[in-house]
C-alpha cells in the first residue's frame, strides 16, 4: 500500500485526493498496488486516519467542502501532524512563496530527512533550494518529483529526463504562464492591456493582485526549476533576468501583426541563459500559440526541436501531474 | 553489454549505429552499460562481428558509406545472418511495406520468437500484425518498442503509455505526415498543389512517387499503430477511412483563409474512430502548425488537451527515437 500525506488541502490538494479515489482501479491495474491518503492538513486544521482519510471525508461529504469542522491545528504545524502519521509519500501543495520557501520548504525538508518520497507542485522550495533538496532525497534513498510545478498538465520534466534521455538538450524556450498568454492573445484581437487583464480576472485566469503573473515572476520560478532539473545547473530565483508584460502596448502588438508576428512572454533556459521577457514570434511558430495554454520548445541535438503544450493550471490538470509522479514512484518501487 | 543487430542498414540503420557510437558516454552514464552493434544487414550484404561491427566499420570508414564491399548475402536472408549471431536486441529498419509487412515482419517475428527485444521504425509489421507481435513479445519475455514508427522524433508512444499513465486518453488527432503538411503550408502562401509538391520533392521532403504520402497512406499506418498501442484496439491498415490531399484546391485554401482557417491533413483515432482526412483548422490552434513538423493533440480526461510536435523523419531524428527506446530497455533490464 502507498500511504500518502497531503499538505495544503486547498484546490490542488483536494483535487489530488479526488483523483486518487476516481483512479483507484487504474492505479491498481498499472501498479498492482493501492493508494491510501492517511493524513491531510490545511492552514487551520488536519485529519489523520491510518485506514484512509479520504474514506472518512467522502462519508462526511468533506472531500469537496474542505476541512471545516475537522481537528483544528491550533499551535501545531504540518510537521507535528506528519510526526503523528505513518506514511510513504508527501504531496506538498501549500501556496508558493518564492522569497522564503514558506511552510512548503520546511515540510519537504522534514519529509526527505525522514525517508519519505515527495511530490511537490509548490514552486517556491524548488526555485530556492533545489540542489539541497535533491541531495537530501539521494542521501535518504527517496524520490523528489515535481512534474506539476512547471506547466501543470504540460508534460515536460519527465519528458526531458526520461523520454529524451541520451539526448543533449540545448535550450528550452516556453510560454510558462497561461495568464500572460491569455492577456497577450486578447490584445492580438485589439483589446488594450487593462481590459484584457480585467477579462482574465473575470474568467478566473488572473488573481485580484496579478503582479506575480504579469511581472513574469511565475514564469521565472519555472525557468529556475528547469535550469536545475534538466540542465543540472545550480541557480536560484534571483538569478533570472525578468521582464513582465506590463510594458507591452497595443501599438507594439499592432506593429508586430503588420509583420506577421505576435508578442509572447517567453522564458528561456540553457547552459548559460536564464531569462523571461516579451518576444516577437512569427505567426505559425509553435510559440505563437493563443489562449491560456503553456508551451515549451525543447531544442535537442538529435531530435531537433520538440514542442509540448498543455494546460498550465487547474484542479484536475495539476492533479494529473501529481498522479503521473505517484504512479512513477509506485512503479519504480515495485521493481526494486 | 547490450548486443544489437540492425536489419536495414540504410539511412535509418546507419544513423542508429552512428548515434550509438556518438552517445557511448551518455548511454553508459544513464544505464551503466555499453551498446555493441554485433551484426548488420542491408538488402545485398551483411557484416557480423561479436566484438563490434561498428568498430570495424568506422576503421574501414564504412559507417557512412554503407555496406558496399562487405560480405554478400547471396541467397541468405537476414534471418540466416541473425542465426549466426549472438545478440539481445534487433533494430528493424527495412523499408515499410503495408501490404505484406515485407522482410521486416519476418525479421521481427523471428527475433521475438527467439527472445530478442525488438525496436522497429518499420510501420508495416505494426500496421498489419500488432496484436500478434505484442503477444509474441509477452510470451517470450522480451520487449517490442516502436517510438520512431509514429512521428519520428516526436515523442508520443512512450508519452501516452508512460507519462500519461493513469489518464484516460479520449482521442488523438494529429498531423502525422510532414510532406503533406509542407505542401499544405506552401499552398497557404498561394502556391498551387502541383508546384508545392514539386518544391517538396526538390527539398527532399517528398519521394519521386509521392503517392504513399499524399494519398494519406503513411498517416493511416501511424493512426493504426496508435489505435492498437494507445487505445488497445485490434485494427489493421485496411480499417482506416483515408482521404489524401490531392483533392485540396487553392480555392478551398483561399476560402478557408478568409474565415481565419487553414486546411491540414488530420489523422484521428479514438475508441471508435479511425480516420485520415483534410480538415479545416482555426489559425492559432495547435494543429494549424506550418512546415514539415508532425504534431499530435492528445485529449485526456484529467490533463485536458496535450499537444506534442517534432520532426517526423530524418536520419538523426529517427535515430533519437531508437536511442530512447534502447535506453528504456536497458534501464528496465537493469532493474530486473
Amino acid at each position: 500500500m502507498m500511504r500518502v500525506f497531503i499538505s495544503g488541502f486547498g484546490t490542488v490538494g483536494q483535487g489530488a485526493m479526488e483523483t486518487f479515489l476516481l483512479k483507484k482501479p487504474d492505479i491498481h491495474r498499472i501498479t498492482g498496488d493501492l493508494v491510501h491518503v492517511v493524513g491531510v492538513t490545511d492552514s487551520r486544521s488536519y485529519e489523520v486516519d491510518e485506514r484512509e482519510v479520504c474514506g472518512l471525508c467522502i462519508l462526511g461529504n468533506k472531500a469537496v467542502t474542505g476541512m471545516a469542522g475537522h481537528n483544528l491545528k491550533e499551535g501545531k504545524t504540518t510537521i507535528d501532524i506528519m510526526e503523528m502519521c505513518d506514511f510513504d509519500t508527501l504531496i506538498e501543495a501549500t501556496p508558493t512563496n518564492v522569497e522564503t520557501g514558506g511552510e512548503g520548504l520546511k515540510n519537504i525538508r522534514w519529509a526527505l530527512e525522514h525517508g519519505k518520497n515527495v511530490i511537490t507542485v509548490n514552486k517556491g522550495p524548488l526555485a530556492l533550494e533545489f540542489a539541497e533538496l535533491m541531495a537530501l532525497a539521494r542521501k535518504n534513498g527517496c524520490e523528489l518529483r515535481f512534474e506539476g510545478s512547471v506547466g501543470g498538465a504540460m508534460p515536460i520534466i519527465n519528458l526531458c529526463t526520461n523520454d529524451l534521455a541520451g539526448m543533449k538538450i540545448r535550450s528550452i524556450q516556453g510560454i510558462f504562464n497561461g495568464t500572460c498568454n491569455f492577456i497577450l492573445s486578447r490584445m492580438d484581437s485589439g483589446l488594450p492591456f487593462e481590459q484584457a487583464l480585467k477579462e482574465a480576472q473575470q474568467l478566473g485566469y488572473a488573481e485580484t493582485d496579478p503582479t506575480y503573473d504579469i511581472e513574469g515572476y511565475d514564469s521565472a520560478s519555472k525557468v529556475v526549476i528547469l535550469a536545475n532539473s534538466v540542465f543540472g545547473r545550480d541557480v536560484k530565483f534571483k538569478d533570472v533576468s525578468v521582464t513582465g508584460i506590463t510594458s507591452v502596448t497595443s501599438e507594439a502588438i499592432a506593429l508586430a501583426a503588420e509583420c506577421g508576428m505576435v508578442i509572447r512572454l517567453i522564458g528561456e533556459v540553457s547552459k548559460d541563459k536564464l531569462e523571461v521577457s516579451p518576444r516577437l514570434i512569427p505567426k505559425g511558430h509553435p510559440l505563437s500559440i493563443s489562449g491560456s495554454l503553456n508551451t515549451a520548445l525543447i531544442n535537442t541535438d538529435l531530435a531537433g526541436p520538440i514542442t509540448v503544450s498543455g494546460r498550465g493550471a487547474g484542479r484536475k490538470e495539476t492533479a494529473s501531474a501529481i498522479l503521473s509522479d505517484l504512479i512513477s514512484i509506485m512503479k519504480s518501487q515495485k521493481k526494486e
Side-chain angles (χ1 to χ4, degrees), chain A residues 38-59:
Chain A
V38 296
V40 295
T41 57
D42 66 11
S43 57
R44 295 179 306 114
S45 49
Y46 72 94
E47 187 64 78
V48 169
D49 191 306
E50 63 184 26
R51 287 166 310 176
E52 195 168 15
V53 168
C54 47
L56 279 185
C57 290
I58 288 297
L59 280 175

PDB file of all heavy atoms in Angstrom, chain A residues 38-59:
ATOM      1  N   VAL A  38      -3.585   9.019   4.167  1.00  0.00           N
ATOM      2  CA  VAL A  38      -3.700   8.761   5.612  1.00  0.00           C
ATOM      3  C   VAL A  38      -3.590  10.032   6.447  1.00  0.00           C
ATOM      4  O   VAL A  38      -3.782   9.988   7.671  1.00  0.00           O
ATOM      5  CB  VAL A  38      -2.651   7.731   6.081  1.00  0.00           C
ATOM      6  CG1 VAL A  38      -2.903   6.377   5.419  1.00  0.00           C
ATOM      7  CG2 VAL A  38      -1.242   8.219   5.781  1.00  0.00           C
ATOM      8  N   GLY A  39      -3.282  11.181   5.796  1.00  0.00           N
ATOM      9  CA  GLY A  39      -3.220  12.433   6.542  1.00  0.00           C
ATOM     10  C   GLY A  39      -3.332  13.625   5.617  1.00  0.00           C
ATOM     11  O   GLY A  39      -2.826  13.582   4.490  1.00  0.00           O
ATOM     12  N   VAL A  40      -4.031  14.658   6.076  1.00  0.00           N
ATOM     13  CA  VAL A  40      -4.114  15.904   5.302  1.00  0.00           C
ATOM     14  C   VAL A  40      -4.075  17.089   6.270  1.00  0.00           C
ATOM     15  O   VAL A  40      -4.547  16.983   7.407  1.00  0.00           O
ATOM     16  CB  VAL A  40      -5.420  16.003   4.456  1.00  0.00           C
ATOM     17  CG1 VAL A  40      -5.466  14.929   3.386  1.00  0.00           C
ATOM     18  CG2 VAL A  40      -6.660  15.917   5.326  1.00  0.00           C
ATOM     19  N   THR A  41      -3.481  18.192   5.797  1.00  0.00           N
ATOM     20  CA  THR A  41      -3.534  19.430   6.586  1.00  0.00           C
ATOM     21  C   THR A  41      -3.888  20.591   5.673  1.00  0.00           C
ATOM     22  O   THR A  41      -3.520  20.602   4.495  1.00  0.00           O
ATOM     23  CB  THR A  41      -2.167  19.779   7.238  1.00  0.00           C
ATOM     24  OG1 THR A  41      -1.182  19.868   6.206  1.00  0.00           O
ATOM     25  CG2 THR A  41      -1.748  18.747   8.259  1.00  0.00           C
ATOM     26  N   ASP A  42      -4.635  21.565   6.226  1.00  0.00           N
ATOM     27  CA  ASP A  42      -4.678  22.861   5.560  1.00  0.00           C
ATOM     28  C   ASP A  42      -4.142  23.879   6.555  1.00  0.00           C
ATOM     29  O   ASP A  42      -3.518  23.515   7.555  1.00  0.00           O
ATOM     30  CB  ASP A  42      -6.083  23.184   5.002  1.00  0.00           C
ATOM     31  CG  ASP A  42      -7.129  23.369   6.078  1.00  0.00           C
ATOM     32  OD1 ASP A  42      -6.760  23.461   7.283  1.00  0.00           O
ATOM     33  OD2 ASP A  42      -8.327  23.431   5.731  1.00  0.00           O
ATOM     34  N   SER A  43      -4.351  25.179   6.304  1.00  0.00           N
ATOM     35  CA  SER A  43      -3.696  26.173   7.167  1.00  0.00           C
ATOM     36  C   SER A  43      -4.241  26.148   8.598  1.00  0.00           C
ATOM     37  O   SER A  43      -3.550  26.516   9.533  1.00  0.00           O
ATOM     38  CB  SER A  43      -3.858  27.566   6.559  1.00  0.00           C
ATOM     39  OG  SER A  43      -5.239  27.837   6.378  1.00  0.00           O
ATOM     40  N   ARG A  44      -5.502  25.643   8.783  1.00  0.00           N
ATOM     41  CA  ARG A  44      -6.098  25.734  10.108  1.00  0.00           C
ATOM     42  C   ARG A  44      -6.370  24.385  10.761  1.00  0.00           C
ATOM     43  O   ARG A  44      -6.451  24.288  11.972  1.00  0.00           O
ATOM     44  CB  ARG A  44      -7.414  26.514  10.026  1.00  0.00           C
ATOM     45  CG  ARG A  44      -7.246  27.983   9.621  1.00  0.00           C
ATOM     46  CD  ARG A  44      -8.579  28.688   9.543  1.00  0.00           C
ATOM     47  NE  ARG A  44      -9.497  27.977   8.672  1.00  0.00           N
ATOM     48  CZ  ARG A  44     -10.613  27.375   9.070  1.00  0.00           C
ATOM     49  NH1 ARG A  44     -10.971  27.421  10.339  1.00  0.00           N
ATOM     50  NH2 ARG A  44     -11.381  26.735   8.210  1.00  0.00           N
ATOM     51  N   SER A  45      -6.521  23.341   9.955  1.00  0.00           N
ATOM     52  CA  SER A  45      -6.982  22.079  10.539  1.00  0.00           C
ATOM     53  C   SER A  45      -6.289  20.871   9.925  1.00  0.00           C
ATOM     54  O   SER A  45      -5.493  21.005   8.995  1.00  0.00           O
ATOM     55  CB  SER A  45      -8.498  21.978  10.380  1.00  0.00           C
ATOM     56  OG  SER A  45      -8.884  22.268   9.050  1.00  0.00           O
ATOM     57  N   TYR A  46      -6.576  19.692  10.485  1.00  0.00           N
ATOM     58  CA  TYR A  46      -5.945  18.480   9.971  1.00  0.00           C
ATOM     59  C   TYR A  46      -6.875  17.300  10.133  1.00  0.00           C
ATOM     60  O   TYR A  46      -7.879  17.364  10.858  1.00  0.00           O
ATOM     61  CB  TYR A  46      -4.628  18.204  10.706  1.00  0.00           C
ATOM     62  CG  TYR A  46      -4.795  17.719  12.128  1.00  0.00           C
ATOM     63  CD1 TYR A  46      -4.812  16.346  12.404  1.00  0.00           C
ATOM     64  CD2 TYR A  46      -4.936  18.617  13.189  1.00  0.00           C
ATOM     65  CE1 TYR A  46      -4.965  15.892  13.709  1.00  0.00           C
ATOM     66  CE2 TYR A  46      -5.098  18.169  14.482  1.00  0.00           C
ATOM     67  CZ  TYR A  46      -5.112  16.807  14.746  1.00  0.00           C
ATOM     68  OH  TYR A  46      -5.281  16.363  16.013  1.00  0.00           O
ATOM     69  N   GLU A  47      -6.543  16.213   9.463  1.00  0.00           N
ATOM     70  CA  GLU A  47      -7.267  14.956   9.632  1.00  0.00           C
ATOM     71  C   GLU A  47      -6.257  13.827   9.439  1.00  0.00           C
ATOM     72  O   GLU A  47      -5.456  13.865   8.506  1.00  0.00           O
ATOM     73  CB  GLU A  47      -8.393  14.848   8.585  1.00  0.00           C
ATOM     74  CG  GLU A  47      -9.303  13.673   8.782  1.00  0.00           C
ATOM     75  CD  GLU A  47     -10.098  13.748  10.093  1.00  0.00           C
ATOM     76  OE1 GLU A  47     -11.074  14.498  10.135  1.00  0.00           O
ATOM     77  OE2 GLU A  47      -9.716  13.057  11.075  1.00  0.00           O
ATOM     78  N   VAL A  48      -6.269  12.859  10.312  1.00  0.00           N
ATOM     79  CA  VAL A  48      -5.358  11.724  10.219  1.00  0.00           C
ATOM     80  C   VAL A  48      -6.161  10.461  10.437  1.00  0.00           C
ATOM     81  O   VAL A  48      -6.997  10.402  11.343  1.00  0.00           O
ATOM     82  CB  VAL A  48      -4.245  11.839  11.298  1.00  0.00           C
ATOM     83  CG1 VAL A  48      -3.462  10.546  11.398  1.00  0.00           C
ATOM     84  CG2 VAL A  48      -3.325  13.007  10.980  1.00  0.00           C
ATOM     85  N   ASP A  49      -5.972   9.479   9.591  1.00  0.00           N
ATOM     86  CA  ASP A  49      -6.627   8.184   9.795  1.00  0.00           C
ATOM     87  C   ASP A  49      -5.817   7.110   9.092  1.00  0.00           C
ATOM     88  O   ASP A  49      -5.671   7.147   7.871  1.00  0.00           O
ATOM     89  CB  ASP A  49      -8.057   8.201   9.241  1.00  0.00           C
ATOM     90  CG  ASP A  49      -8.837   6.963   9.687  1.00  0.00           C
ATOM     91  OD1 ASP A  49      -8.345   5.837   9.459  1.00  0.00           O
ATOM     92  OD2 ASP A  49      -9.915   7.134  10.268  1.00  0.00           O
ATOM     93  N   GLU A  50      -5.293   6.162   9.847  1.00  0.00           N
ATOM     94  CA  GLU A  50      -4.409   5.162   9.231  1.00  0.00           C
ATOM     95  C   GLU A  50      -5.154   4.271   8.241  1.00  0.00           C
ATOM     96  O   GLU A  50      -4.538   3.665   7.372  1.00  0.00           O
ATOM     97  CB  GLU A  50      -3.718   4.300  10.300  1.00  0.00           C
ATOM     98  CG  GLU A  50      -4.695   3.493  11.122  1.00  0.00           C
ATOM     99  CD  GLU A  50      -3.984   2.725  12.239  1.00  0.00           C
ATOM    100  OE1 GLU A  50      -2.906   3.183  12.677  1.00  0.00           O
ATOM    101  OE2 GLU A  50      -4.512   1.695  12.659  1.00  0.00           O
ATOM    102  N   ARG A  51      -6.489   4.207   8.358  1.00  0.00           N
ATOM    103  CA  ARG A  51      -7.238   3.378   7.403  1.00  0.00           C
ATOM    104  C   ARG A  51      -7.441   4.127   6.089  1.00  0.00           C
ATOM    105  O   ARG A  51      -7.337   3.582   5.033  1.00  0.00           O
ATOM    106  CB  ARG A  51      -8.589   2.972   7.994  1.00  0.00           C
ATOM    107  CG  ARG A  51      -8.451   1.905   9.094  1.00  0.00           C
ATOM    108  CD  ARG A  51      -9.722   1.797   9.872  1.00  0.00           C
ATOM    109  NE  ARG A  51     -10.153   3.136  10.298  1.00  0.00           N
ATOM    110  CZ  ARG A  51     -11.291   3.371  10.950  1.00  0.00           C
ATOM    111  NH1 ARG A  51     -12.124   2.393  11.221  1.00  0.00           N
ATOM    112  NH2 ARG A  51     -11.596   4.602  11.324  1.00  0.00           N
ATOM    113  N   GLU A  52      -7.760   5.371   6.145  1.00  0.00           N
ATOM    114  CA  GLU A  52      -7.887   6.185   4.928  1.00  0.00           C
ATOM    115  C   GLU A  52      -8.728   7.420   5.214  1.00  0.00           C
ATOM    116  O   GLU A  52      -9.936   7.319   5.416  1.00  0.00           O
ATOM    117  CB  GLU A  52      -8.518   5.397   3.760  1.00  0.00           C
ATOM    118  CG  GLU A  52      -8.314   6.098   2.424  1.00  0.00           C
ATOM    119  CD  GLU A  52      -8.655   5.218   1.218  1.00  0.00           C
ATOM    120  OE1 GLU A  52      -9.308   4.195   1.406  1.00  0.00           O
ATOM    121  OE2 GLU A  52      -8.261   5.595   0.112  1.00  0.00           O
ATOM    122  N   VAL A  53      -8.053   8.569   5.168  1.00  0.00           N
ATOM    123  CA  VAL A  53      -8.764   9.816   5.412  1.00  0.00           C
ATOM    124  C   VAL A  53      -9.861  10.034   4.378  1.00  0.00           C
ATOM    125  O   VAL A  53     -10.967  10.437   4.703  1.00  0.00           O
ATOM    126  CB  VAL A  53      -7.790  11.010   5.373  1.00  0.00           C
ATOM    127  CG1 VAL A  53      -8.549  12.314   5.334  1.00  0.00           C
ATOM    128  CG2 VAL A  53      -6.870  10.964   6.561  1.00  0.00           C
ATOM    129  N   CYS A  54      -9.534   9.730   3.131  1.00  0.00           N
ATOM    130  CA  CYS A  54     -10.489  10.090   2.082  1.00  0.00           C
ATOM    131  C   CYS A  54     -11.783   9.315   2.240  1.00  0.00           C
ATOM    132  O   CYS A  54     -12.858   9.826   1.924  1.00  0.00           O
ATOM    133  CB  CYS A  54      -9.906   9.949   0.693  1.00  0.00           C
ATOM    134  SG  CYS A  54      -9.048   8.436   0.381  1.00  0.00           S
ATOM    135  N   GLY A  55     -11.690   8.071   2.726  1.00  0.00           N
ATOM    136  CA  GLY A  55     -12.910   7.322   3.007  1.00  0.00           C
ATOM    137  C   GLY A  55     -13.790   8.110   3.956  1.00  0.00           C
ATOM    138  O   GLY A  55     -14.962   8.380   3.676  1.00  0.00           O
ATOM    139  N   LEU A  56     -13.193   8.572   5.059  1.00  0.00           N
ATOM    140  CA  LEU A  56     -13.920   9.366   6.053  1.00  0.00           C
ATOM    141  C   LEU A  56     -14.497  10.637   5.445  1.00  0.00           C
ATOM    142  O   LEU A  56     -15.649  10.985   5.672  1.00  0.00           O
ATOM    143  CB  LEU A  56     -12.965   9.791   7.174  1.00  0.00           C
ATOM    144  CG  LEU A  56     -12.660   8.770   8.254  1.00  0.00           C
ATOM    145  CD1 LEU A  56     -11.811   9.438   9.323  1.00  0.00           C
ATOM    146  CD2 LEU A  56     -13.970   8.249   8.866  1.00  0.00           C
ATOM    147  N   CYS A  57     -13.637  11.326   4.685  1.00  0.00           N
ATOM    148  CA  CYS A  57     -14.056  12.612   4.143  1.00  0.00           C
ATOM    149  C   CYS A  57     -15.235  12.451   3.196  1.00  0.00           C
ATOM    150  O   CYS A  57     -16.147  13.268   3.183  1.00  0.00           O
ATOM    151  CB  CYS A  57     -12.907  13.275   3.400  1.00  0.00           C
ATOM    152  SG  CYS A  57     -11.619  13.828   4.511  1.00  0.00           S
ATOM    153  N   ILE A  58     -15.151  11.404   2.382  1.00  0.00           N
ATOM    154  CA  ILE A  58     -16.238  11.186   1.448  1.00  0.00           C
ATOM    155  C   ILE A  58     -17.518  10.871   2.210  1.00  0.00           C
ATOM    156  O   ILE A  58     -18.583  11.421   1.926  1.00  0.00           O
ATOM    157  CB  ILE A  58     -15.877  10.015   0.494  1.00  0.00           C
ATOM    158  CG1 ILE A  58     -14.818  10.466  -0.476  1.00  0.00           C
ATOM    159  CG2 ILE A  58     -17.102   9.509  -0.265  1.00  0.00           C
ATOM    160  CD1 ILE A  58     -15.236  11.577  -1.408  1.00  0.00           C
ATOM    161  N   LEU A  59     -17.400  10.023   3.253  1.00  0.00           N
ATOM    162  CA  LEU A  59     -18.566   9.693   4.068  1.00  0.00           C
ATOM    163  C   LEU A  59     -19.190  10.954   4.638  1.00  0.00           C
ATOM    164  O   LEU A  59     -20.390  11.151   4.598  1.00  0.00           O
ATOM    165  CB  LEU A  59     -18.161   8.765   5.226  1.00  0.00           C
ATOM    166  CG  LEU A  59     -17.993   7.293   4.857  1.00  0.00           C
ATOM    167  CD1 LEU A  59     -17.483   6.516   6.053  1.00  0.00           C
ATOM    168  CD2 LEU A  59     -19.323   6.718   4.368  1.00  0.00           C
TER     169      LEU A  59
END
